[in-house]
Amino acid sequence: MIGHNVTDVGVLDKSMAIISACEASPRMAADIAEALNLTVPTVHRLARALVAHGLLARESSGAFRLGARFISFGLGQIARGPLRTLAERTGEACQLWVPRGPNRLCLVSEAMPNELHVELHEGTQLPLEDGGTAARVIGGERSEQGWVLTVSERTVGLTSVSAPVETKDGLVGAVCIVAPVARVSSNLGELYGTRLLVTASAIERALAAA
């Protein structure tokens, strides 16, 4: 039996024990319950809450495994270099957004020192329902080109293009370029879509190698 009484906060101890039990490989609720000497309903209740917070994910078989939140712990450091390069080559603000329940979180933000520029601070959270290309990508929208474009959708006067960052376990975030409409000579996707996809691929490869 794996011990789970570490502190005097029982729910937290049990939740962390469940996460630890799934760290090496996916496990069914019954197996976790047996290993931790917990009831199956307790494991299901806590595991579902952990899934909602992105700390666990559930496979089609019903087994629980570590969730995308663990990937994002190192994602910001991995993505910063490629995003800085993307910002320098496009001259526009570039961000990495990750899902956080009903919101999206700006994990990395690289802005250029143009007189007219877009800047969103790291740690900013926006509701997915407010729209924007990053929200659409996180919500599952895809296109033949590989990127999603909007013009003056969430904020009048701004245009953005986003592409997904995915691992074998699914989507972990969205890379986004944002620019003032007044400075963009044509479709932002046509201008920088290829560079955006190259950046997303670079982050994915780095994640796979980590």
Side-chain angles (χ1 to χ4, degrees), residues 3-184:
H4 53 76
N5 295 320
V6 178
T7 72
D8 59 355
V9 186
V11 172
L12 178 59
D13 287 342
K14 291 172 185 175
S15 297
M16 291 306 300
I18 290 171
I19 290 173
S20 296
C22 300
E23 192 167 1
S25 62
R27 302 186 72 174
M28 302 296 290
D31 297 329
I32 298 171
E34 181 178 0
L36 300 179
N37 196 27
L38 296 171
T39 66
V40 173
T42 295
V43 170
H44 270 298
R45 176 173 59 85
L46 294 177
R48 284 197 299 268
L50 292 168
V51 169
H53 285 286
L55 293 169
L56 289 182
R58 198 166 192 186
E59 300 186 335
S60 58
S61 65
F64 293 98
R65 57 171 171 78
L66 294 185
R69 194 71 174 260
F70 284 96
I71 296 174
S72 71
F73 289 155
L75 178 57
Q77 183 176 359
I78 287 172
R80 189 168 299 280
L83 273 180
R84 165 53 62 175
T85 299
L86 182 64
E88 291 173 346
R89 291 180 177 176
T90 63
E92 303 296 349
C94 299
Q95 300 134 13
L96 175 69
W97 294 86
V98 295
R100 287 291 183 266
N103 300 325
R104 55 182 170 114
L105 168 72
C106 183
L107 193 63
V108 180
S109 180
E110 294 288 344
M112 298 304 294
N114 300 312
E115 184 175 357
L116 180 61
H117 70 278
V118 181
E119 184 172 0
L120 277 168
H121 296 293
E122 294 175 2
T124 297
Q125 290 199 45
L126 298 173
L128 291 172
E129 64 181 14
D130 281 3
T133 55
R136 289 188 175 195
V137 168
I138 289 172
E141 183 174 334
R142 299 292 184 271
S143 71
E144 291 184 1
Q145 299 96 326
W147 39 262
V148 175
L149 172 75
T150 63
V151 179
S152 293
E153 179 181 90
R154 197 184 70 83
T155 303
V156 175
L158 294 182
T159 179
S160 69
V161 59
S162 294
V165 175
E166 298 175 305
T167 68
K168 59 182 178 61
D169 294 321
L171 180 134
V172 295
V175 177
C176 180
I177 303 173
V178 188
V181 173
R183 191 166 56 239
V184 178

